[in-house]
Each structure stands twice: as C-alpha cells, then as structure tokens.
Amino acid sequence: MVKKIFLLTFLLLLFFKGNTQHSYRFTSEITLKAKSKTGEFQYTKGVVHYNLKNKKLLFNITFPQKEFYLAVDTLIYKFQNNKLLSVQNNPIKPEFSIFQFILNNDLSDFGLKNSSFSISNIEKNNGLIITKWSPPAIVNFPIGNILISTKDKRLQSVLIYNKKGILLSRQIYKDYNMVNGVGIPSEILSVSYLGNVKSYQVMKISHALINEQGNDADYDFQVGEVKK
C-alpha cells in the first residue's frame, strides 16, 4: 500500500531546479484510500515528516499495520517491529514530492516554473486559469504536455499527457487550509491511466504543521536507529 502513497505524492517532474524558501519542515496526518483492480478499496493511515534541508521523507504508518518507510535519495528503507526489513530502489527522489512543492510554495504551478517545461498557452474559463506547459525538445523525453488549472492562485487540477497526447494522470486538489501562510490542500483525488486500466486514489492531509520545533529524530532519522 505504501507504494500507492509514493505514486501519489511523488510528482512526475524531471529536471527540477529547486527553489529557496524559509519553510523547511512539513508534517501532517495522511489517509489514503485506493481502489484496486478488483474494485476493492484499501485504506492506509499514518503520519508523514519531510525535511527540505536533508531531503529525508519519513512515512510512519499506523494502519492497517504499524510500519514505517524512510525515503532518502534513490532508496526506500522499510522498517517493521523495530527492524529493517528491506531496502528498495526508488527512481523518484523525495525532492520531487508534493511536500517539497508545498514548502517551496511551488504547488500552484506544480513546480513547473522551476523545471525545463515552458508555457505554450494560457486560457481563462469561469474563473479558472488553464496553463499549458510543454516539455523540452529532448529525444525520448517521457512526458508530453501538462495542463494546470488554478483559481485564486491555488492549484485546482493537473492533467499529464504522454508524447502521443494520451492522458496518463489526472489530479484534483480540494479544500485548501492556510498554515503559516502556506496553502495546503486537504484532499487530492488522483486517477492514473495505464492502457485500459484506471487506478483511483484519494489522499487526505490533516493537522499539517510547517517548521515544527522538536521531534528532530523524525526529520533526520538515521537508518541505524531503532524506531520506537
């Protein structure tokens, strides 16, 4: 189930350049409801901690079973019952996550202004600003155009297409809350398209904190430590 969390929170952007921001720590409770291929719903609940300075992302899962995952660079460490169970490769680094964009205040444009994508069209419709971002002219670049919809400078939806113009992913951002002057969506609906198969996910973010003081171990967890 945690793989579904990573697929939802890691945004598929390449050549991200980064940004400088005073917000450097993010934590919140998260719940994820995902619909399987058989039509059954799976439910996961936990707490996430992200440290922008060291790019460490910690998922402390409390349901359906206690376990936690540490994402550092291109690796994901899985812990259960105070033991390290496995280490897996992760092609997408934590700095490409929604939490990085929240802290950098880049969520309104999906971080694209700090990428190699460029604006190719802008339209206005019923209070929405729809911006079309086109990929760089690079051979075998895996992603095509991205359509971003915003309202009152808040991200509303993201549509990601492949090079052939086929929709790969649709995300909807809802019910924003202000935390330390930063707008954070409380609900993200995501639909991924793989051939004729659709994958549905809903992630809810609650009790978010920016620049939390204390709990330093959760923001700089060391692999050799035992998580109590």
Side-chain angles (χ1 to χ4, degrees):
M1 173 57 71
V2 76
K3 291 183 179 180
K4 296 183 182 294
I5 297 177
F6 278 88
L7 287 175
L8 181 59
T9 59
F10 287 130
L11 307 180
L12 303 180
L13 299 181
L14 302 179
F15 303 99
F16 178 70
K17 298 176 183 177
N19 194 9
T20 300
Q21 182 57 252
H22 294 298
S23 300
Y24 60 95
R25 281 183 172 186
F26 177 89
T27 184
S28 74
E29 295 180 9
I30 60 169
T31 59
L32 179 70
K33 184 168 66 173
K35 188 176 182 180
S36 67
K37 295 180 181 180
T38 61
E40 297 178 349
F41 283 95
Q42 298 174 314
Y43 181 79
T44 302
K45 183 178 180 180
V47 178
V48 62
H49 292 84
Y50 179 63
N51 189 336
L52 186 148
K53 292 184 176 179
N54 59 25
K55 306 296 189 297
K56 289 186 177 182
L57 180 59
L58 182 70
F59 285 103
N60 191 347
I61 306 302
T62 57
F63 183 89
Q65 61 182 353
K66 291 186 176 181
E67 56 190 14
F68 64 98
Y69 296 78
L70 174 68
V72 183
D73 195 36
T74 58
L75 296 176
I76 299 177
Y77 300 85
K78 178 182 179 179
F79 297 81
Q80 195 175 79
N81 296 325
N82 301 328
K83 295 181 180 180
L84 176 62
L85 293 187
S86 65
V87 181
Q88 300 178 2
N89 290 322
N90 179 37
I92 306 176
K93 297 180 180 181
E95 52 262 43
F96 300 115
S97 71
I98 184 177
F99 311 118
Q100 170 95 10
F101 289 167
I102 288 173
L103 291 176
N104 273 339
N105 201 22
D106 287 333
L107 187 59
S108 63
D109 58 26
F110 203 59
L112 288 168
K113 68 181 178 182
N114 294 308
S115 75
S116 56
F117 280 73
S118 59
I119 295 177
S120 57
N121 189 51
I122 298 178
E123 297 180 1
K124 294 183 179 180
N125 185 12
N126 295 326
L128 290 176
I129 297 177
I130 304 171
T131 305
K132 181 180 179 180
W133 293 81
S134 296
I138 298 176
V139 178
N140 297 325
F141 195 81
I143 301 174
N145 294 322
I146 300 178
L147 295 183
I148 304 293
S149 297
T150 61
K151 186 175 182 179
D152 299 327
K153 297 182 179 181
R154 290 182 175 179
L155 181 64
Q156 302 296 307
S157 67
V158 178
L159 279 70
I160 302 176
Y161 295 86
N162 66 11
K163 299 290 284 187
K164 295 181 179 180
I166 298 174
L167 184 62
L168 299 176
S169 173
R170 180 194 304 267
Q171 299 175 10
I172 299 175
Y173 297 74
K174 302 172 60 177
D175 302 329
Y176 278 78
N177 294 312
M178 294 298 294
V179 180
N180 287 17
V182 179
I184 301 174
S186 61
E187 184 172 292
I188 303 173
L189 289 73
S190 177
V191 183
S192 298
Y193 303 87
L194 183 61
N196 295 323
V197 179
K198 294 182 181 180
S199 176
Y200 298 89
Q201 301 177 58
V202 178
M203 184 172 74
K204 293 188 177 182
I205 301 173
S206 60
H207 302 99
L209 294 175
I210 302 291
N211 294 348
E212 180 189 23
Q213 299 299 309
N215 296 325
D216 293 341
D218 290 326
Y219 294 98
D220 192 17
F221 184 75
Q222 305 299 316
V223 175
E225 295 180 358
V226 175
K227 184 74 175 178
K228 299 295 186 182

